[in-house]
Structure formats: C-alpha cells, structure tokens
Amino acid sequence: MRATDRRSVVNTPDDGAAHGAQGLRAAIATNLGRFQRVPAAQPLIPAAVAVVMLRDAGGEACIPMFIRAAGLARHPGQFALPGGKLNPGERAEVAALRELREELGLAVADDGILGSLDDFDTRSGFTITPVVLWSGAPAAELQPSDDEVAEVYLLSMPDLRAAVAGARPGTSRSFCLELPWGPVYAPTGAILYQFSEGALDGRPSRVNDFYQPPFARR
C-alpha cells in the first residue's frame, strides 16, 4: 500500500482491530525477549534502522518504508527503512528513534522499543542494528522529509509474510522480497525477512550472509 498523500485521513480502528494490535505487540515483545541477538564480531561503521509498527487506514499493523531521495549521496533511489549512522557515543536504540523523527517525522517514546535483531554488515561498510519499535500511530501522521524521502510505502504483515514465504533465503543470488510494489534486496530485504521470521513468528533465522547485490554499495 502506498502512502504518498500526507493529508489523507486514517480511519479509527474498531475494538477488534485495537485488541488485535495489542496482541501483536505482546507477541512481538515475547518473541524478541526469547531471541538471542547476534552482534557483529568486528563492527564496521555503526548504524541503526527502525522497524516500526504503525496503523494503516483499516487499523491494521504496517511497517513504513520508503524510496530514498535521488539527491542523497548514499543509496539514492533504493528502498530503505528509516535509519542512518550513529553519532559518537550514541546507542543504536537512540539513533533509530532519532532517524525516525528526522526522516518520517514520527516520535516514538522509549517504552515503544521492543528489542533488536541481529547486526547486519553491509557491502557499503556499515554495521546496521535493526531496532524494533511499536508506535500504533496512524500512518497519516507521518511527515516525510522532502530532502531524504521520495515516496513512502506501508508494508502489511500479510504481504510481508507472503514475500518471506516465497523468497529464496541465504546466499542465493536471487534473494529478494517480492513486495507488492517491487523487489527489495538485502540489507533491507534481509532485515525484514528476519523480522518476519523472528519477531512475528518466533522462528530463529540468521540473515547476515544473505546475498547483497552490487548496487547495495552505492
């Protein structure tokens, strides 16, 4: 689902949707509590991304992602999650919250931090720590940065699970997640794959060796 009109109105979810959202939050928190995160053995330039749960127009959980603006020095025109380099002395969780505010205009409180996934070493020289966040805010509240964001998309949980089920994981050169708006490759695709397997469904899955195409270095 695309979310390009910042003026659109998101419907208020009914009681069933709200109850389902709380159940999903509890399930993710439980799964991440059991998840044994693997940090990078030899970290590169430290970075963090935010995998944040919002509400779509029907009140269902979704993850915002976007195409990076064409004028950016790194990874222009590529699909991404909100994120970036850590400032000196900054923790990954703090960086993920900061980047989420800067890129999508969304503030999440510290109690919205549910946990972290494995570090992921990129071909472009970064070690990414994916931080899982719960907001529950309507997606219409997003205020994307004109300088960094070209277009916002909302990834539903059924679409994510379907893409993961159809993917060829691991070092296969064909690895990608076939999302409704196009293929998403590692590192973003690998991070979303591990989120689906580990955070949503409680299945341990390692992704740091997933194939990254050459354009991931740009």
Side-chain angles (χ1 to χ4, degrees), residues 80-140:
L81 294 163
K85 288 195 303 183
L86 273 62
N87 291 329
E90 190 176 39
R91 294 184 296 110
E93 294 84 357
V94 175
L97 294 173
R98 174 178 55 76
E99 291 287 347
L100 182 60
R101 289 193 306 271
E102 293 175 358
E103 294 181 341
L104 293 182
L106 180 68
V108 175
D110 288 348
D111 62 4
I113 300 172
L114 300 185
S116 299
L117 303 174
D118 289 349
D119 284 348
F120 191 94
D121 295 327
T122 74
R123 295 182 65 152
S124 54
F126 293 87
T127 294
I128 299 175
T129 300
V131 181
V132 179
L133 305 171
W134 186 275
S135 169

Side-chain angles (χ1 to χ4, degrees), residues 136-156:
E141 291 185 0
L142 296 177
Q143 298 181 4
S145 164
D146 291 332
D147 293 332
E148 300 187 71
V149 177
E151 196 163 10
V152 175
Y153 294 82
L154 303 178
L155 176 59
S156 73

Side-chain angles (χ1 to χ4, degrees), residues 7 24 26 32 41 49 55 61 73 84 93 97 104 134 150 165 167 173 182 185 193 196 202-203:
R7 299 167 296 176
L24 179 60
L32 289 177
V49 298
R55 287 189 284 115
E93 294 84 357
L97 294 173
L104 293 182
W134 186 275
R173 295 176 68 88
Y185 299 87
Y193 185 100
S196 178
R203 292 190 291 263

Side-chain angles (χ1 to χ4, degrees), residues 21-32:
Q22 290 306 310
L24 179 60
R25 175 176 180 157
I28 291 174
T30 297
N31 289 335
L32 289 177

Side-chain angles (χ1 to χ4, degrees), residues 4-25:
T4 56
D5 187 350
R6 302 176 196 176
R7 299 167 296 176
S8 61
V9 177
V10 173
N11 298 328
T12 301
D14 58 26
D15 290 343
H19 179 75
Q22 290 306 310
L24 179 60
R25 175 176 180 157

